[in-house]
Every structure is written in C-alpha cells, then in structure tokens.
Amino acid sequence: MWPQARCSQTEQHDQHGLPWLGWHRRYSRLMINLLDHLAAALGPGGVIIAPEDIAPFGTDWRGLVSNMPRAVLRPRDTAGVAAALRLCAAAGVPVVPQGGNTSMVAGAVPSRDGAELVLSLSRMNAVRAIDAAGLTMEVEAGVTLRAAQDAARDAGALLPLSIGSEGSAQIGGVISTNAGGNNTLRFGNARDLVLGLEVVLADGTIWNGLRRLRKDNTGYALRQLFAGAEGTLGIVTAAVLRLARAPRQRQTCFCAIPSVEAALDLFARFRDEDEAALYAFEYISGAAMAVNQSYMPDFRLPLETASPHYVLLELATTRRRDPLRETMEAVLADALEAGVITDAAIAESEAQRAAFWAIREHLSESQRRAGASVKNDVSVPVAAVPSLLARAAAMLGARHPGARMVAFGHIGDGNIHLNALQPEDGDAAAFAARGEDLMEDVNAIVMELGGSFSAEHGIGQIKTHAFGQLRSAAEREIMHRIRAALDPAATLNPGKLF
Ligand code: MLT
Ligand code: ZN
C-alpha cells in the first residue's frame, strides 16, 4: 500500500523547483518499500514526503547547510522511534535525529542531499512527571526547553538551563549537544542535569535508563555517553532531569565596563562575596551591542552612554531573608569607586529584568541579520579570556581587514563566542569563503591558551575539520571505537563529528 501523502505529489514541483517526475524516478524501489513500511509503522502523519513540508528540515538555523532529506519521520512514541530505526537499519538508510533545528554547527540536518531521512522528535512532547519533593522531572525528547522550564516553574521548581533558543530548542537536542548557556556557571551544562535517559540505538534496541537517582554507580555512566554525542550513538527519546528550588529573589544588573580585565575583576568580586548566589555573568562587547542596536533597535541599551564592554549579571537565592539587593549595591559601589565599572543599571521590575535579558538573547539573531559571520564558540581558562580577546582582535585586523569581532558570551565559565562578522558593505560570500581559514586562525590562538575550539555548540558538520586536526589520534580513535560498537554501519547522524 502507498502512503497517502505520496499520492498528492504527482503534480507538484520538487525542492529544486523542477516538475515532480513521479516516485519511480526519484526513489529507488528499496526506498519506496522502506517508506511504505515506515508509513505503516508510524501511522497517520508519521511520514512527511511533500517537498514543501520537508524543506525546513533540510536547512540549519544559520542557513549554512541545505541538504534535503528524502522524507521526515515523526514518531509519536519510543516504540515508533525503535520501529523506524529497525526498518532503516535493515535497509541501510541513514537517519538524522532533529529537535528544534537550532544547532549552530549544522548538527541536525542531513549531510548529503536526498540520501538521508530526518527523524523529528517534535511529536514526542509530553512532560511525563514532576517530582517536586525529589526535584526531578521526566520529559520526552520533543518538549521544548521553555515548556520544560515552565512546567518546572509551575511546580515551584527551577530547570536551571537557559539558552537563547530555548523557545524552540528541544530537550533531546539540548542533551545530545550538551548545551551550556547562561547558568552553566552555577548549575553546569545539560549533562550535569541528566539523571536518567531513554535512548534508542541504531538497530532499534531501546535502553530505558530513566532512573531518578542522585547516586548510581552501576557500571559505565551510559547516560553521560549519550549526552553530547550529537545523535551519533543513539537517539535520546526521554530524560529525567535534575531540578533546583525556584529562587525567591533575583537581582539583575547591566554594567558598563572599561576593559575585559575589569569584567574579570567584577566577576571575582561577586564570587568572593557570594558564589552560590551568582547565577549568571555574561560578557557583551561594544561591537556586539552596536550590531544589536542597529539590527534590533527595540532592545535598547539600559545605560546613558555606550561603553567598549558590558556585563549582564544575575544574583539569585532561595533564601527568604537574604539581603540580595544590598549585596548587589555594595559590590557595585565598591567596583564603581575602584574604576572597575563606569555605570550600572539594576532591574527594578520583572519587566526590566526581561528587557535586559532580551538584549543578551537576541545577540545571535541581530548578528545573523547583519550578514555573513564565522562563529567561534571557544573556551579558555577564565584568566586567559583577556588575552584571547586581544589576540583574536589583532589577528582579525591583520588577516581580515574590515571584519568585526562581535564577541560575547559566558565569561564566567571562560566560554566566549568569538564571532567574526563580515566587513560592513563587504561581500558576504567572499567573507564566508574564508571562514575555514579564519576559524583555523582563531583555533590556533585558542589551542595556545589551552582552550577548546568547541565549548558548547558541538562539532556538527561545521567543525569536523578542526576535530580531525586538533584532537589527538588516540582521542579520536577511542571515539571511533565507541561509535563502531553502538552503530557499526554508521547510519546515525552521518557526517557529524567525524
Ligand atoms: C549564545 O550564547 O547566545 C549562543 O550560544 C551563541 C552564538 O550565537 O554564537
Ligand atoms: Zn552561548
């Protein structure tokens, strides 16, 4: 039997705008059989094949890679994922797992045009349970990060993971990429919040490791193996996440800073005063703010005058009687007197706090609107951040005249987004064409400082080159062996990592 959606395609155009020539031309007999079986296994709406419907699944958020999948699979449950992977493995057809498709490194789109199937987790979007006493939540992979945060908040708890794309990023992708974000400083990355996982392997085997334990030393920590594996070892279908108590007070401040060194000085002052209360400490360069003000003017600078550097920081506590505001004001007053900050605005309402964070969260989007950019998501030991920024700026000026270093990031944990933006009125394609060279130049500086060329975005398709060059043969060999043990035919998310 033919899947229903297929019949409606005969008079349309394919994704290249060419007349649809009929299934027999586009698909091999093997693929037709596979799609038939998948449609039967996944039920109504489980297989999408119309070109206009699959198009969004083939292009990454940054528009860097565009490879159309042959079809998009949308299982409703774990059994559906297992059935789909079993059928695809038997046919030798590669599968690309996809969540919100907000990867910065093209980690969730096909690596070859027309050769792979995308498996979207978006219909698996139930919050299965929240244990308010044990502070855990069990969620399916397709729940957006924001929906999970909201559910935790409604239960009086906090899911302490916050990233710019949280409205669309899904839990499965967040775990598979070990996302970091604004609260890593206080609560760690996604992997630090994972207590249990449910994963489907390439051959359809289901591993149910949805345990809620804080202590569990039974053999290898398998959940940690799948976290950050970018979907190359198995598809995460559900997770048990560690929650925190919801803070009773927050104080959020936007500061103007004279130098990067001063930003680290301010960081040390707050950490020294109350490390546990320091939930976020974010750096924004003057260049990043300028791009934001030009392309997203609604998000206005909350200070009188522009500065070469800014910090957005947040203190929070669950304590009822903690003098958090006094702490914030006292540290800022001392910092002002010492010339560590030149100005500061403390949010006076939840609306103001949201406005401060909106600036930070739209930096990537404003940069995307400004033209071609080369993203370098790097980390170095915190004390080396000033040197990193200075050396990267000097390199850019010498090797890519006119390009702007739109730097910002999670300075409190040494993770800076050293994003180079094309020269104003320059040629976007010409700048993008030199992207790999530029990345290599940045990576050379990062490696000299003992850092990582991929701090929180992963390797995806964009950084495979660096991965091959900058990680030792032994390290890559270990990863290859693990991959070969779990997915010997390498049909899960091919073209990523290696
Ligand atoms: C962010 O922190 O906003 C993103 O991870 C960074 C980026 O867009 O490079
Ligand atoms: Zn980031």
Side-chain angles (χ1 to χ4, degrees):
M1 208 186 118
W2 296 82
Q4 261 200 339
R6 189 179 302 175
C7 305
S8 65
Q9 292 309 304
T10 45
E11 288 168 19
Q12 295 182 0
H13 292 76
D14 70 11
Q15 71 267 31
H16 305 295
L18 300 171
W20 190 259
L21 296 176
W23 288 96
H24 58 290
R25 300 250 191 115
R26 180 158 174 76
Y27 294 117
S28 67
R29 173 60 51 195
L30 178 96
M31 182 58 81
I32 292 170
N33 284 340
L34 174 62
L35 291 177
D36 283 346
H37 286 115
L38 286 166
L42 300 181
V47 179
I48 304 179
I49 44 87
E52 65 275 21
D53 294 338
I54 63 174
F57 295 86
T59 304
D60 71 304
W61 181 78
R62 295 177 61 201
L64 295 178
V65 173
S66 201
N67 289 317
M68 288 307 128
R70 289 206 169 191
V72 176
L73 314 180
R74 299 168 71 235
R76 280 193 177 283
D77 52 25
T78 307
V81 176
L85 289 191
R86 247 189 323 273
L87 288 165
C88 291
V93 171
V95 175
V96 179
Q98 191 177 101
N101 197 12
T102 49
S103 170
M104 297 282 181
V105 288
V109 290
S111 55
R112 285 178 303 153
D113 197 42
E116 298 160 16
L117 302 181
V118 162
L119 188 145
S120 162
L121 280 304
S122 56
R123 290 209 297 180
M124 293 177 60
N125 58 5
V127 174
R128 290 183 183 163
I130 297 188
D131 173 358
L135 284 175
T136 64
M137 80 190 306
E138 183 175 324
V139 283
E140 293 183 347
V143 174
T144 64
L145 178 53
R146 180 161 305 144
Q149 290 166 345
D150 289 350
R153 193 200 49 228
D154 293 347
L158 172 76
L159 173 57
L161 188 77
S162 168
I163 57 178
S165 57
E166 60 200 23
S168 38
Q170 296 172 10
I171 293 296
V174 160
I175 293 172
S176 297
T177 56
N178 185 27
N182 306 330
N183 299 134
T184 297
L185 177 64
R186 174 68 174 78
F187 295 99
N189 293 324
R191 71 162 73 254
D192 299 299
L193 303 178
V194 174
L195 295 176
L197 274 191
E198 181 186 76
V199 177
V200 182
L201 302 185
D203 64 2
T205 301
I206 299 173
W207 170 52
N208 183 336
L210 290 170
R211 295 187 282 267
R212 296 186 276 166
L213 309 172
R214 307 280 166 153
K215 288 188 170 177
D216 179 15
N217 279 353
T218 46
Y220 300 141
L222 293 181
R223 64 186 189 283
Q224 294 299 352
L225 197 57
F226 294 103
E230 302 191 35
T232 60
L233 300 180
I235 297 184
V236 171
T237 47
V240 176
L241 302 174
R242 184 166 69 87
L243 303 177
R245 286 289 301 144
R248 289 196 169 86
Q249 298 183 56
R250 288 182 199 269
Q251 292 295 332
T252 310
C253 177
F254 209 99
C255 304
I257 312 275
S259 65
V260 186
E261 287 80 0
L264 287 187
D265 186 327
L266 186 66
F267 175 59
R269 285 166 186 261
F270 274 105
R271 203 173 45 177
D272 186 45
E273 188 66 34
D274 190 349
E275 187 173 16
L278 192 51
Y279 272 40
F281 196 91
E282 297 286 307
Y283 168 74
I284 304 173
S285 65
M289 182 59 84
V291 169
N292 197 266
Q293 301 298 282
S294 305
Y295 289 87
M296 306 197 89
D298 287 352
F299 304 115
R300 294 184 38 211
L301 179 66
L303 303 169
E304 293 282 307
T305 50
S307 167
H309 310 274
Y310 304 91
V311 158
L312 171 60
L313 73 103
E314 188 156 277
L315 301 182
T317 181
T318 57
R319 290 192 288 267
R320 278 190 185 84
R321 283 172 287 277
D322 194 298
L324 204 62
R325 176 72 180 220
E326 284 83 337
T327 303
M328 177 71 96
E329 286 176 354
V331 176
L332 290 177
D334 287 351
L336 195 62
E337 198 170 313
V340 167
I341 63 173
T342 51
D343 195 4
I346 302 178
E348 296 295 348
S349 63
E350 186 49 41
Q352 258 183 23
R353 170 180 177 253
F356 287 8
W357 276 108
I359 296 171
R360 170 64 187 86
E361 276 152 16
H362 287 86
L363 293 176
S364 291
E365 177 57 24
S366 58
Q367 198 190 333
R368 187 165 75 127
R369 294 181 185 188
S373 58
V374 178
K375 279 188 189 286
N376 298 285
D377 162 43
V378 306
S379 63
V380 292
V382 178
V385 171
S387 168
L388 169 76
L389 285 163
R391 290 174 67 174
M395 177 281 293
L396 200 68
R399 310 232 330 137
H400 304 267
R404 291 158 283 172
M405 188 55 90
V406 183
F408 60 94
H410 320 286
I411 192 170
D413 49 65
N415 173 198
I416 298 291
H417 301 302
L418 273 182
N419 297 342
L421 181 61
Q422 68 166 87
E424 244 165 339
D425 307 322
D427 177 358
F431 182 70
R434 295 190 61 200
E436 204 161 288
D437 286 352
L438 196 155
M439 237 184 239
E440 277 181 15
D441 290 337
V442 168
N443 290 344
I445 298 168
V446 168
M447 297 315 279
E448 275 174 35
L449 293 172
S452 167
F453 60 89
S454 175
E456 61 166 8
H457 294 167
I459 302 292
Q461 295 180 60
I462 303 299
K463 296 202 171 171
T464 51
H465 186 66
F467 190 55
Q469 284 184 348
L470 300 177
R471 283 291 176 255
S472 69
E475 191 166 331
R476 282 181 289 120
E477 174 61 18
I478 293 169
M479 293 196 201
H480 273 293
R481 285 191 208 172
I482 294 170
R483 168 73 185 266
L486 295 182
D487 178 18
T491 51
L492 276 184
N493 216 9
K496 320 298 158 32
L497 293 189
F498 310 113

